[in-house]
Amino acid sequence: MEHIEIFNRLRQQFGEEVVLEHVVTGDEAKGFRDPYILLKTESLAEVARFLKDDEALAFDMLHCISGVDWPEYFESVYHLFSFKHRHMATLKVRTSKDDPKVPSVTSVWPAADWHERESYDLVGIRYEGHPDLTRILLPEEWEGHPLRKDYETPTHEHLRELGL
Amino acid sequence: MVIPAQPKPLQGEPMVIYMGPQHPSTHGVLQVELHTDGEIVNRAIPRIGFLHRCKEKIGESVPYDAYVPYTDRMDYLAAMNTNWAWASAVEKLAAIEVPERAEYIRVYVAEFNRIASHLVALATYGLDLGAWTPLLHAFRERESVLDILEELSGGRLCFGYMRIGGVANDITPRSIEMGKAFLKQFRAKLDSLNELLSFNHIFIRRAANIGVIPGEQAIAYGMTGPMLRASGVDWDMRRDEPYSIYPKLNFDVPVGQGLKGKTGDNWDRYWVRVQEMYESMKILEQVIDGLPEGEFRAKVPAILRPPAAEVYCRQECPRGEVAFYLISDGGKTPYRMKVRGPSFCNLSILETISKDMLIADLVSTLGSFDIVMGEVDR
């Protein structure tokens, strides 16, 4: 199924308030690249369940989750793949800078477990409903989230204070 | 002489053992927290991050072409393949056409690197289970492969050979001769390695019927590559979502069939890798025969400024699908880059399948995963 058809199917099921937008990145002059579907953050788990269970979509594999720090909001990006239909989809949800919270999809795709922990560790998005949301790559006592744009790289003195 | 008192009976209390990060069978700096009851593993929790080098943060601060050497150090056993995955992600983002000759050279080095990587995988797997000799045989063959790659790139482990739009140097007649000579004798060597290790009765007893992962579970945990195929899922990016010149090449995709036990057990994972080496040889023979004349690198601007857009580009590497997610804001460096490492995803299933296993079987299972910590931790 083409990406726009996946979007239409989701729109038909959940309506405009949940399935917000279909965006093709790039521009007219330099060519278009990969598209994505923007979802309402609170409805993510519900939409994810539908994406997996629906016969026509059947997204059985979660390929990757990436957290992105934009100037006005954080984004959690989901790359999905279906072995049955051999199509891919990209979903995005946005969350506020002050209190970044996104529903967890671990109950839908167990693969989300480590990806969500990584995104929490490096970008600092909290995945609500995750069974064990702890740091995965950095030590437990690490301060800050390195992939945020305002992150200040610690100096050697600072690391020594932390005992690292 | 002091006669020891009556030995105490075993306590039978649960015990926590930390396996790694310097344990030889964890293949790098992985720590597995074992909750054991005698010899039985109640829970095995992988702890990762010992080799974390902020690859994604670095990626945001260096130009696209300068990031190639960093990708070497992710999956350092298959550096060519990771190099290539990065190069093709940037080419997709910047819409760069790659000359056909460059694509042939890329397949040439990538498939040789796949052989080298799988040789390490099965040699160290044998080593984990106590078989010393196959390691020496496999590493001798790997040396010949590394010689070929060294002839082209100058490196033996981290090559940095790919460039955005092609490769660093043109292929040399000598490297083709070396490749031909290697392929001529390797099939027989691999056959003898099979007799030595693959069909060894003790080896089969240690590997078959252990660590069984059904296909559906493999998909749910996002497993890719030989681990996914060993579980009976017939999927290979090179054939099913072909990129580069793979549509022109003729090869089969080996899938786990449970020859010695159940589909998706440790032996199947091992066996899929052995068969993939035979397929890589087929590919290489076709590449040598079909190598066209032409440019080995496209003309690419010295400072690359791709348009503000996003791409997600994945490729079949020896351990599974490496994917790069690139977000450009039109500048010299990516706004955000994310690496999806196959070992990272493959390892995440360990806790689920290792329940109620013997510790010795856990070592066998972990060995069959063929993880590279450089890419798990990035």
Side-chain angles (χ1 to χ4, degrees):
Chain A
M1 210 188 264
E2 292 294 315
H3 205 269
I4 185 79
E5 291 173 51
I6 296 167
F7 169 76
N8 288 337
R9 172 114 185 105
L10 284 179
R11 256 256 161 111
Q12 199 188 345
Q13 181 72 22
F14 292 99
E16 281 177 30
E17 275 156 32
V18 173
V19 187
L20 302 170
E21 216 181 336
H22 184 266
V23 182
V24 185
T25 60
D27 54 37
E28 194 85 57
K30 290 183 173 172
F32 291 106
R33 303 291 186 270
D34 289 359
Y36 65 84
I37 299 167
L38 189 65
L39 298 175
K40 188 180 158 206
T41 312
E42 290 75 27
S43 318
L44 175 68
E46 195 189 336
V47 178
R49 175 57 68 189
F50 177 75
L51 281 162
K52 192 183 179 190
D53 294 344
D54 186 51
E55 280 293 310
L57 299 170
F59 284 102
D60 42 9
M61 188 190 216
L62 175 75
H63 215 260
C64 190
I65 298 179
S66 330
V68 187
D69 178 9
W70 291 100
E72 289 91 36
Y73 45 80
F74 287 115
E75 239 174 28
S76 187
V77 188
Y78 302 80
H79 288 97
L80 307 175
F81 180 67
S82 162
F83 278 98
K84 192 178 167 197
H85 303 298
R86 306 202 161 174
H87 54 209
M88 278 201 93
T90 311
L91 309 177
K92 282 189 180 189
V93 290
R94 287 173 186 169
T95 178
S96 71
K97 286 281 224 188
D98 332 311
D99 185 21
K101 277 188 305 190
V102 172
S104 167
V105 292
T106 39
S107 57
V108 184
W109 298 288
D113 185 348
W114 279 25
H115 286 292
E116 287 181 353
R117 279 177 69 192
E118 189 191 322
S119 176
Y120 162 69
D121 189 359
L122 300 180
V123 188
I125 300 170
R126 296 196 64 82
Y127 288 88
E128 298 209 304
H130 189 286
D132 174 34
L133 195 67
T134 48
R135 287 191 185 270
I136 186 166
L137 294 174
L138 301 175
E140 210 34 61
E141 60 273 22
W142 196 266
E143 286 170 10
H145 303 283
L147 283 178
R148 286 189 180 180
K149 295 288 175 187
D150 58 359
Y151 179 75
E152 281 179 33
T153 314
T155 59
H156 283 287
E157 287 73 26
H158 185 206
L159 289 176
R160 216 169 291 135
E161 273 170 33
L162 287 171
L164 293 168
Chain B
M1 202 173 105
V2 182
I3 300 164
Q6 203 65 12
K8 282 184 189 167
L10 285 173
Q11 295 293 313
E13 279 175 12
M15 188 174 171
V16 180
I17 304 169
Y18 288 91
M19 189 166 105
Q22 63 287 73
H23 191 282
S25 68
T26 53
H27 295 260
V29 281
L30 167 69
Q31 186 180 54
V32 186
E33 189 181 313
L34 298 178
H35 294 250
T36 60
D37 181 7
E39 273 288 294
I40 310 286
V41 176
N42 285 337
R43 201 170 169 211
I45 311 161
R47 303 253 183 249
I48 62 171
F50 292 91
L51 208 59
H52 181 57
R53 292 150 296 169
C54 325
K55 291 270 183 206
E56 289 170 15
K57 189 78 177 167
I58 296 170
E60 289 173 12
S61 58
V62 297
Y64 291 89
D65 51 348
Y67 195 68
V68 173
Y70 289 101
T71 60
D72 280 336
R73 283 136 186 95
M74 285 174 198
D75 186 349
Y76 43 78
L77 290 178
M80 285 290 188
N81 301 71
T82 330
N83 269 189
W84 187 12
W86 169 254
S88 61
V90 178
E91 282 150 13
K92 190 177 168 191
L93 181 65
I96 295 166
E97 276 294 313
V98 182
E100 204 186 6
R101 185 177 173 85
E103 293 285 18
Y104 269 82
I105 301 172
R106 283 175 169 190
V107 175
Y108 185 77
V109 291
E111 291 302 324
F112 265 125
N113 209 163
R114 191 183 304 273
I115 291 178
S117 166
H118 282 348
L119 277 172
V120 176
L122 53 106
T124 51
Y125 188 39
L127 195 63
D128 284 344
L129 304 183
W132 252 106
T133 323
L135 175 96
L136 304 172
H137 286 256
F139 268 63
R140 184 186 58 200
E141 297 312 309
R142 179 171 175 260
E143 280 302 302
S144 323
V145 178
L146 295 188
D147 284 342
I148 299 164
L149 300 179
E150 187 187 15
E151 164 71 17
L152 283 170
S153 68
R156 289 181 71 81
L157 194 67
C158 296
F159 306 103
Y161 181 58
M162 299 290 168
R163 293 289 180 272
I164 312 302
V167 292
N169 311 305
D170 201 0
I171 195 164
T172 59
R174 181 154 178 265
S175 70
I176 295 177
E177 286 310 310
M178 288 163 87
K180 277 183 185 165
F182 174 81
L183 292 173
K184 214 169 166 184
Q185 49 87 37
F186 185 57
R187 210 173 293 263
K189 290 279 170 58
L190 206 50
D191 291 343
S192 74
L193 198 69
N194 279 340
E195 285 169 25
L196 193 64
L197 186 63
S198 313
F199 300 115
N200 181 310
H201 188 64
I202 304 168
F203 177 73
I204 292 171
R205 288 286 296 272
R206 288 289 314 271
N209 283 321
I210 295 165
V212 179
I213 304 174
E216 274 188 17
Q217 199 180 17
I219 292 173
Y221 276 83
M223 282 163 57
T224 45
M227 281 190 71
L228 178 71
R229 289 191 281 278
S231 296
V233 182
D234 191 7
W235 171 261
D236 189 319
M237 286 285 293
R238 293 175 294 169
R239 182 197 62 194
D240 299 320
E241 235 172 71
Y243 49 90
S244 183
I245 56 159
Y246 281 113
K248 293 182 193 168
L249 303 171
N250 196 2
F251 61 98
D252 297 321
V253 176
V255 177
Q257 288 162 336
L259 274 186
K260 301 290 170 190
K262 286 187 189 137
T263 305
D265 61 6
N266 293 350
W267 195 85
D268 263 356
R269 285 193 275 280
Y270 165 89
W271 186 237
V272 163
R273 291 193 184 97
V274 175
Q275 286 176 299
E276 277 190 11
M277 290 201 280
Y278 286 107
E279 298 306 322
S280 286
M281 276 190 275
K282 269 194 219 167
I283 294 174
L284 284 165
E285 279 156 5
Q286 294 168 51
V287 168
I288 291 174
D289 290 339
L291 185 71
E293 293 297 320
E295 294 286 315
F296 63 92
R297 202 191 316 169
K299 298 255 181 300
V300 177
I303 296 167
L304 202 61
R305 288 178 197 275
E310 302 182 2
V311 292
Y312 188 73
C313 183
R314 49 195 194 134
Q315 271 198 3
E316 188 77 36
C317 292
R319 268 155 207 84
E321 286 168 24
V322 170
F324 284 99
Y325 177 44
L326 280 174
I327 303 176
S328 159
D329 57 356
K332 278 191 285 188
T333 60
Y335 182 78
R336 169 84 165 96
M337 62 145 311
K338 158 93 190 178
V339 195
R340 187 252 189 218
S343 294
F344 179 83
C345 305
N346 292 350
L347 186 60
S348 68
I349 202 173
L350 185 71
E351 185 175 342
T352 314
I353 63 159
S354 60
K355 203 165 163 19
D356 300 331
M357 218 179 228
L358 291 172
I359 296 177
D361 288 347
L362 179 76
V363 170
S364 165
T365 306
L366 190 57
S368 76
F369 279 22
D370 183 29
I371 48 164
V372 165
M373 290 314 286
E375 180 221 81
V376 176
D377 295 341
R378 301 184 297 277

